[in-house]
Amino acid sequence: MAICKFLHDNLWKGIEGVDLTMTALTEATNFPVTNTQRRIPGRRWRSTNCVDDQTIVVNFYAEVSAEAFCLRGNNFSADAVVTIQANTEDVWLTPAFEALLSPINDRIMAAFFGDDPVVYQYWRLLISDVGNPDGYIEVGPIFLGPAFTPAEN
């Protein structure tokens, strides 16, 4: 039985009173990482290659609480491995939190973190897709934040 979840208050976009810095490992001209903060699926971040694992790191400058991560508008191949990570510092050898994203359909992937929110300052999207036939990685809008599950589901 599928469970319905509503995602709200997108921290990835930035919220009033919370600063953030977003950095991608690589960024193609005219496809900045800040495009992942827009709701418009046609606006995307694009890497310059897919030979290297691609990352997007967000520093919120304070701990933020999230229950879900979702992205859409990607060009991942069937062999792509996509992970959301979180940590207390911008060091990623052994992150404190890590979850694999699961496909919802061919353009949307998500991870739900369970009953307890995940609370960290640094968040990182890690994408491994070396066999991507396009030669680059592309990601549209991203959501990170709370998820509401109705009692009647």
Short mmCIF file of all heavy atoms in Angstrom, two decimals, residues 64-108:
data_model
loop_
_atom_site.label_atom_id
_atom_site.label_comp_id
_atom_site.label_asym_id
_atom_site.label_seq_id
_atom_site.Cartn_x
_atom_site.Cartn_y
_atom_site.Cartn_z
N VAL A 64 19.47 22.47 10.26
CA VAL A 64 18.10 22.47 9.75
C VAL A 64 17.55 21.06 9.87
O VAL A 64 18.29 20.08 9.79
CB VAL A 64 18.02 22.98 8.29
CG1 VAL A 64 18.44 24.43 8.20
CG2 VAL A 64 18.82 22.12 7.34
N SER A 65 16.25 20.97 10.04
CA SER A 65 15.57 19.69 10.25
C SER A 65 14.81 19.30 8.98
O SER A 65 14.05 20.09 8.44
CB SER A 65 14.60 19.83 11.42
OG SER A 65 13.84 18.66 11.58
N ALA A 66 15.05 18.07 8.52
CA ALA A 66 14.37 17.59 7.31
C ALA A 66 13.89 16.16 7.49
O ALA A 66 14.49 15.38 8.22
CB ALA A 66 15.31 17.68 6.11
N GLU A 67 12.81 15.84 6.79
CA GLU A 67 12.26 14.49 6.80
C GLU A 67 12.22 13.86 5.42
O GLU A 67 11.92 12.68 5.28
CB GLU A 67 10.84 14.52 7.37
CG GLU A 67 10.79 15.00 8.80
CD GLU A 67 9.39 15.33 9.26
OE1 GLU A 67 8.73 16.19 8.62
OE2 GLU A 67 8.95 14.72 10.24
N ALA A 68 12.54 14.67 4.40
CA ALA A 68 12.48 14.15 3.03
C ALA A 68 13.39 14.94 2.12
O ALA A 68 13.69 16.12 2.35
CB ALA A 68 11.04 14.24 2.50
N PHE A 69 13.82 14.28 1.06
CA PHE A 69 14.61 14.89 -0.01
C PHE A 69 14.04 14.37 -1.32
O PHE A 69 13.79 13.19 -1.47
CB PHE A 69 16.09 14.50 0.11
CG PHE A 69 16.95 15.10 -0.95
CD1 PHE A 69 17.52 16.35 -0.75
CD2 PHE A 69 17.20 14.44 -2.13
CE1 PHE A 69 18.32 16.93 -1.73
CE2 PHE A 69 17.99 15.00 -3.12
CZ PHE A 69 18.56 16.25 -2.91
N CYS A 70 13.85 15.27 -2.26
CA CYS A 70 13.27 14.87 -3.54
C CYS A 70 13.90 15.72 -4.65
O CYS A 70 14.16 16.91 -4.46
CB CYS A 70 11.76 15.09 -3.50
SG CYS A 70 10.89 14.65 -5.01
N LEU A 71 14.13 15.11 -5.79
CA LEU A 71 14.59 15.88 -6.95
C LEU A 71 13.83 15.43 -8.19
O LEU A 71 13.35 14.30 -8.26
CB LEU A 71 16.10 15.78 -7.14
CG LEU A 71 16.76 14.42 -7.32
CD1 LEU A 71 16.65 13.92 -8.75
CD2 LEU A 71 18.21 14.52 -6.93
N ARG A 72 13.72 16.34 -9.14
CA ARG A 72 13.02 15.99 -10.39
C ARG A 72 13.73 16.65 -11.56
O ARG A 72 14.57 17.51 -11.40
CB ARG A 72 11.55 16.39 -10.34
CG ARG A 72 11.33 17.87 -10.21
CD ARG A 72 9.85 18.18 -10.07
NE ARG A 72 9.69 19.59 -9.79
CZ ARG A 72 8.72 20.32 -10.24
NH1 ARG A 72 7.78 19.78 -10.98
NH2 ARG A 72 8.64 21.60 -9.94
N GLY A 73 13.37 16.21 -12.76
CA GLY A 73 13.95 16.79 -13.96
C GLY A 73 15.39 16.37 -14.17
O GLY A 73 16.20 17.15 -14.65
N ASN A 74 15.71 15.11 -13.86
CA ASN A 74 17.09 14.65 -14.02
C ASN A 74 17.26 13.86 -15.32
O ASN A 74 16.29 13.49 -15.96
CB ASN A 74 17.50 13.81 -12.82
CG ASN A 74 16.68 12.53 -12.71
OD1 ASN A 74 16.88 11.60 -13.47
ND2 ASN A 74 15.75 12.49 -11.77
N ASN A 75 18.49 13.61 -15.67
CA ASN A 75 18.80 12.81 -16.85
C ASN A 75 19.58 11.55 -16.48
O ASN A 75 20.38 11.06 -17.27
CB ASN A 75 19.60 13.63 -17.87
CG ASN A 75 21.03 13.87 -17.43
OD1 ASN A 75 21.32 13.94 -16.22
ND2 ASN A 75 21.95 13.99 -18.37
N PHE A 76 19.38 11.03 -15.28
CA PHE A 76 20.16 9.89 -14.81
C PHE A 76 19.95 8.65 -15.68
O PHE A 76 18.84 8.38 -16.14
CB PHE A 76 19.79 9.52 -13.37
CG PHE A 76 19.93 10.65 -12.39
CD1 PHE A 76 19.10 10.74 -11.29
CD2 PHE A 76 20.91 11.63 -12.53
CE1 PHE A 76 19.23 11.76 -10.37
CE2 PHE A 76 21.05 12.66 -11.62
CZ PHE A 76 20.20 12.72 -10.54
N SER A 77 21.03 7.90 -15.84
CA SER A 77 20.92 6.61 -16.52
C SER A 77 20.36 5.57 -15.53
O SER A 77 20.26 5.84 -14.33
CB SER A 77 22.29 6.16 -17.04
OG SER A 77 23.11 5.75 -15.96
N ALA A 78 20.06 4.40 -16.04
CA ALA A 78 19.53 3.33 -15.17
C ALA A 78 20.55 2.88 -14.13
O ALA A 78 20.17 2.32 -13.10
CB ALA A 78 19.09 2.15 -16.03
N ASP A 79 21.83 3.14 -14.37
CA ASP A 79 22.89 2.72 -13.45
C ASP A 79 23.29 3.79 -12.43
O ASP A 79 24.19 3.57 -11.63
CB ASP A 79 24.13 2.30 -14.24
CG ASP A 79 23.87 1.09 -15.11
OD1 ASP A 79 23.07 0.22 -14.70
OD2 ASP A 79 24.44 1.01 -16.22
N ALA A 80 22.63 4.92 -12.46
CA ALA A 80 23.00 6.02 -11.55
C ALA A 80 22.76 5.63 -10.09
O ALA A 80 21.79 4.95 -9.77
CB ALA A 80 22.20 7.26 -11.89
N VAL A 81 23.67 6.07 -9.23
CA VAL A 81 23.51 5.92 -7.78
C VAL A 81 23.47 7.34 -7.22
O VAL A 81 24.42 8.11 -7.37
CB VAL A 81 24.66 5.11 -7.16
CG1 VAL A 81 24.50 5.03 -5.65
CG2 VAL A 81 24.73 3.72 -7.77
N VAL A 82 22.35 7.67 -6.57
CA VAL A 82 22.14 9.04 -6.07
C VAL A 82 21.91 8.96 -4.57
O VAL A 82 21.04 8.22 -4.09
CB VAL A 82 20.94 9.70 -6.78
CG1 VAL A 82 20.79 11.14 -6.33
CG2 VAL A 82 21.12 9.62 -8.30
N THR A 83 22.69 9.75 -3.82
CA THR A 83 22.69 9.69 -2.36
C THR A 83 22.56 11.09 -1.78
O THR A 83 23.18 12.03 -2.29
CB THR A 83 24.01 9.06 -1.86
OG1 THR A 83 24.23 7.82 -2.52
CG2 THR A 83 23.98 8.83 -0.37
N ILE A 84 21.77 11.23 -0.74
CA ILE A 84 21.74 12.47 0.03
C ILE A 84 22.50 12.18 1.33
O ILE A 84 22.30 11.14 1.95
CB ILE A 84 20.30 12.99 0.31
CG1 ILE A 84 20.32 14.32 1.06
CG2 ILE A 84 19.45 11.96 1.01
CD1 ILE A 84 20.89 15.48 0.30
N GLN A 85 23.39 13.12 1.70
CA GLN A 85 24.19 12.97 2.90
C GLN A 85 24.05 14.22 3.76
O GLN A 85 23.74 15.28 3.24
CB GLN A 85 25.67 12.77 2.54
CG GLN A 85 25.92 11.55 1.68
CD GLN A 85 27.35 11.49 1.17
OE1 GLN A 85 27.92 12.49 0.77
NE2 GLN A 85 27.92 10.30 1.19
N ALA A 86 24.30 14.07 5.05
CA ALA A 86 24.28 15.22 5.96
C ALA A 86 25.37 15.03 7.00
O ALA A 86 25.74 13.90 7.33
CB ALA A 86 22.91 15.34 6.63
N ASN A 87 25.89 16.18 7.49
CA ASN A 87 27.00 16.10 8.43
C ASN A 87 27.08 17.38 9.26
O ASN A 87 26.48 18.40 8.91
CB ASN A 87 28.32 15.90 7.67
CG ASN A 87 29.33 15.08 8.43
OD1 ASN A 87 29.07 14.63 9.55
ND2 ASN A 87 30.50 14.90 7.85
N THR A 88 27.85 17.31 10.33
CA THR A 88 28.05 18.47 11.19
C THR A 88 29.12 19.41 10.65
O THR A 88 29.22 20.56 11.07
CB THR A 88 28.46 18.03 12.61
OG1 THR A 88 29.63 17.20 12.50
CG2 THR A 88 27.34 17.27 13.29
N GLU A 89 29.96 18.92 9.72
CA GLU A 89 30.99 19.73 9.08
C GLU A 89 31.10 19.35 7.62
O GLU A 89 30.59 18.32 7.19
CB GLU A 89 32.33 19.57 9.80
CG GLU A 89 32.83 18.14 9.85
CD GLU A 89 34.11 17.99 10.66
OE1 GLU A 89 34.84 18.97 10.81
OE2 GLU A 89 34.38 16.88 11.11
N ASP A 90 31.77 20.20 6.86
CA ASP A 90 31.90 19.99 5.41
C ASP A 90 33.05 19.03 5.11
O ASP A 90 33.99 19.35 4.39
CB ASP A 90 32.11 21.35 4.72
CG ASP A 90 31.99 21.26 3.21
OD1 ASP A 90 31.57 20.21 2.69
OD2 ASP A 90 32.33 22.26 2.53
N VAL A 91 32.97 17.83 5.68
CA VAL A 91 33.93 16.75 5.49
C VAL A 91 33.09 15.50 5.23
O VAL A 91 32.21 15.17 6.03
CB VAL A 91 34.83 16.56 6.73
CG1 VAL A 91 35.77 15.38 6.53
CG2 VAL A 91 35.60 17.84 7.02
N TRP A 92 33.39 14.77 4.15
CA TRP A 92 32.46 13.74 3.68
C TRP A 92 33.02 12.32 3.64
O TRP A 92 32.44 11.46 2.99
CB TRP A 92 31.91 14.16 2.32
CG TRP A 92 31.23 15.48 2.43
CD1 TRP A 92 31.73 16.71 2.09
CD2 TRP A 92 29.95 15.73 3.00
NE1 TRP A 92 30.82 17.70 2.40
CE2 TRP A 92 29.72 17.13 2.97
CE3 TRP A 92 28.97 14.91 3.55
CZ2 TRP A 92 28.56 17.71 3.45
CZ3 TRP A 92 27.80 15.49 4.02
CH2 TRP A 92 27.61 16.88 3.97
N LEU A 93 34.13 12.07 4.34
CA LEU A 93 34.69 10.71 4.35
C LEU A 93 33.72 9.73 5.01
O LEU A 93 33.51 8.62 4.51
CB LEU A 93 36.03 10.68 5.06
CG LEU A 93 37.15 11.48 4.38
CD1 LEU A 93 38.39 11.51 5.25
CD2 LEU A 93 37.45 10.89 3.01
N THR A 94 33.14 10.11 6.14
CA THR A 94 32.15 9.29 6.84
C THR A 94 31.02 10.20 7.33
O THR A 94 31.00 10.59 8.50
CB THR A 94 32.78 8.53 8.03
OG1 THR A 94 33.41 9.49 8.89
CG2 THR A 94 33.79 7.51 7.58
N PRO A 95 30.09 10.55 6.44
CA PRO A 95 29.00 11.45 6.86
C PRO A 95 28.14 10.82 7.95
O PRO A 95 27.98 9.60 8.02
CB PRO A 95 28.20 11.66 5.57
CG PRO A 95 28.58 10.54 4.68
CD PRO A 95 29.95 10.11 5.06
N ALA A 96 27.60 11.67 8.80
CA ALA A 96 26.76 11.21 9.91
C ALA A 96 25.45 10.61 9.44
O ALA A 96 24.89 9.72 10.08
CB ALA A 96 26.49 12.38 10.86
N PHE A 97 24.95 11.08 8.29
CA PHE A 97 23.69 10.57 7.73
C PHE A 97 23.87 10.35 6.24
O PHE A 97 24.53 11.13 5.55
CB PHE A 97 22.56 11.58 7.96
CG PHE A 97 21.29 11.19 7.26
CD1 PHE A 97 20.44 10.26 7.82
CD2 PHE A 97 20.96 11.75 6.03
CE1 PHE A 97 19.27 9.89 7.16
CE2 PHE A 97 19.80 11.39 5.38
CZ PHE A 97 18.95 10.45 5.94
N GLU A 98 23.23 9.28 5.75
CA GLU A 98 23.31 8.97 4.33
C GLU A 98 22.08 8.15 3.94
O GLU A 98 21.70 7.24 4.67
CB GLU A 98 24.59 8.18 4.06
CG GLU A 98 24.89 7.92 2.62
CD GLU A 98 26.28 7.33 2.45
OE1 GLU A 98 26.48 6.16 2.86
OE2 GLU A 98 27.14 8.03 1.92
N ALA A 99 21.46 8.51 2.82
CA ALA A 99 20.30 7.75 2.33
C ALA A 99 20.34 7.70 0.80
O ALA A 99 20.58 8.72 0.15
CB ALA A 99 19.00 8.40 2.79
N LEU A 100 20.10 6.53 0.25
CA LEU A 100 20.00 6.38 -1.19
C LEU A 100 18.64 6.87 -1.65
O LEU A 100 17.63 6.63 -0.98
CB LEU A 100 20.15 4.92 -1.61
CG LEU A 100 21.56 4.35 -1.56
CD1 LEU A 100 21.52 2.85 -1.82
CD2 LEU A 100 22.46 5.04 -2.56
N LEU A 101 18.61 7.55 -2.79
CA LEU A 101 17.34 7.98 -3.36
C LEU A 101 16.75 6.85 -4.19
O LEU A 101 17.49 6.10 -4.85
CB LEU A 101 17.53 9.21 -4.25
CG LEU A 101 17.46 10.55 -3.51
CD1 LEU A 101 18.61 10.73 -2.55
CD2 LEU A 101 17.40 11.69 -4.49
N SER A 102 15.45 6.72 -4.14
CA SER A 102 14.74 5.71 -4.91
C SER A 102 13.93 6.40 -6.00
O SER A 102 13.36 7.47 -5.77
CB SER A 102 13.77 4.93 -4.01
OG SER A 102 14.47 4.30 -2.98
N PRO A 103 13.85 5.78 -7.17
CA PRO A 103 13.04 6.39 -8.24
C PRO A 103 11.55 6.32 -7.92
O PRO A 103 11.06 5.29 -7.46
CB PRO A 103 13.37 5.57 -9.47
CG PRO A 103 14.12 4.38 -9.01
CD PRO A 103 14.52 4.58 -7.60
N ILE A 104 10.85 7.43 -8.14
CA ILE A 104 9.40 7.47 -8.05
C ILE A 104 8.84 7.20 -9.45
O ILE A 104 7.88 6.49 -9.63
CB ILE A 104 8.91 8.85 -7.55
CG1 ILE A 104 9.55 9.18 -6.19
CG2 ILE A 104 7.40 8.92 -7.49
CD1 ILE A 104 9.19 8.26 -5.06
N ASN A 105 9.48 7.80 -10.44
CA ASN A 105 9.23 7.51 -11.85
C ASN A 105 10.52 7.82 -12.60
O ASN A 105 11.56 7.97 -11.98
CB ASN A 105 8.00 8.27 -12.39
CG ASN A 105 8.17 9.77 -12.30
OD1 ASN A 105 9.26 10.31 -12.47
ND2 ASN A 105 7.08 10.47 -12.01
N ASP A 106 10.47 7.93 -13.93
CA ASP A 106 11.71 8.10 -14.68
C ASP A 106 12.34 9.49 -14.53
O ASP A 106 13.47 9.70 -14.96
CB ASP A 106 11.52 7.76 -16.16
CG ASP A 106 10.55 8.70 -16.86
OD1 ASP A 106 9.77 9.39 -16.18
OD2 ASP A 106 10.58 8.75 -18.10
N ARG A 107 11.68 10.45 -13.91
CA ARG A 107 12.23 11.79 -13.76
C ARG A 107 12.27 12.29 -12.31
O ARG A 107 12.75 13.37 -12.04
CB ARG A 107 11.42 12.80 -14.58
CG ARG A 107 11.36 12.51 -16.06
CD ARG A 107 12.67 12.69 -16.74
NE ARG A 107 12.92 14.12 -16.95
CZ ARG A 107 14.03 14.59 -17.46
NH1 ARG A 107 14.99 13.78 -17.82
NH2 ARG A 107 14.20 15.88 -17.61
N ILE A 108 11.74 11.51 -11.37
CA ILE A 108 11.68 11.94 -9.97
C ILE A 108 12.31 10.86 -9.07
O ILE A 108 12.02 9.69 -9.22
CB ILE A 108 10.23 12.20 -9.51
CG1 ILE A 108 9.61 13.33 -10.34
CG2 ILE A 108 10.19 12.54 -8.02
CD1 ILE A 108 8.14 13.58 -10.05
#
